[in-house]
Amino acid sequence: MTDEVRDKIQALIDLKGLRMTRPREVIMEAAFSDPGAHFTADELYERARAIDPKTSRATLYRTIALLVEGGLLHEIDLGKGVASYDPNFIESPNHNHLICLDCSRVVEFEDQHISVMEDCITRRLGFTAASKSIQIKANCDQLRRTGECSERVG
Ligand SMILES: [Zn+2]
Ligand SMILES: [Zn+2]
């Protein structure tokens, strides 16, 4: 977890008049230890339990709701049928996702041109962008070529 993320979490906790309890800290640690890793509530629960087996689902759901409300965690749809959460919008506020339909791999990418284009479209429609993210669903070239679709980034 970077200092920037830590500061934003502390500011949110203060704003809400809460205290940084150990159970909350464990969940935040699990959520923000790897900004590239998106997770479902169940996956975060497993990660948090690996740090502290006493983690409760009630605290987990409340903490996720707090982080989403505070804008630190973004709820996104990665086509899993349940909501996924993305901890990387603090460090990369405009990042996009490519989802491999073959192996469900999620690749994050940023592109200056897309960002400018999104601003243009938003302005043309009479709005100001609050957050920008596009999603590309794709098939692996690797699978087509080799008949294999690995989780490995190749
Ligand atoms: Zn992401
Ligand atoms: Zn794939």
Side-chain angles (χ1 to χ4, degrees):
M1 194 190 301
T2 63
D3 287 345
E4 187 192 1
V5 172
R6 205 178 293 280
D7 289 349
K8 293 214 162 160
I9 289 173
Q10 193 56 55
L12 177 64
I13 294 274
D14 292 346
L15 180 75
K16 293 285 170 183
L18 301 168
R19 275 182 318 113
M20 183 56 105
T21 59
R22 176 67 186 155
R24 275 197 191 110
E25 202 182 339
V26 166
I27 293 162
M28 311 260 188
E29 221 174 278
F32 294 101
S33 58
D34 178 1
H38 311 88
F39 47 79
T40 64
D42 281 346
E43 285 162 356
L44 185 61
Y45 182 61
E46 290 310 316
R47 277 207 232 168
R49 300 252 301 178
I51 301 171
D52 185 347
K54 291 200 298 289
T55 302
S56 83
R57 277 189 185 273
T59 310
L60 180 93
Y61 289 126
R62 275 201 304 272
T63 305
I64 289 177
L66 170 73
L67 292 169
V68 169
E69 193 199 327
L72 300 188
L73 208 56
H74 282 216
E75 191 175 316
I76 57 171
D77 180 3
L78 293 178
K80 290 189 175 183
V82 292
S84 292
Y85 297 93
D86 191 324
N88 196 24
F89 281 97
I90 300 172
E91 289 175 66
S92 308
N94 296 314
H95 78 266
N96 306 290
H97 299 105
L98 180 144
I99 302 166
C100 176
L101 295 171
D102 301 316
C103 69
S104 315
R105 191 167 79 208
V106 178
V107 182
E108 297 191 327
F109 65 95
E110 289 186 75
D111 186 291
Q112 199 52 48
H113 294 101
I114 291 175
S115 185
V116 169
M117 199 178 69
E118 284 168 332
D119 279 335
C120 289
I121 294 167
T122 309
R123 259 201 308 275
R124 195 172 70 216
L125 295 173
F127 294 86
T128 301
S131 75
K132 300 178 285 185
S133 182
I134 65 161
Q135 201 175 87
I136 298 173
K137 293 200 172 128
N139 293 104
C140 275
D141 286 345
Q142 193 194 352
L143 176 70
R144 215 187 40 215
R145 273 200 319 269
T146 66
E148 254 179 69
C149 173
S150 66
E151 283 283 330
R152 248 170 281 127
V153 180

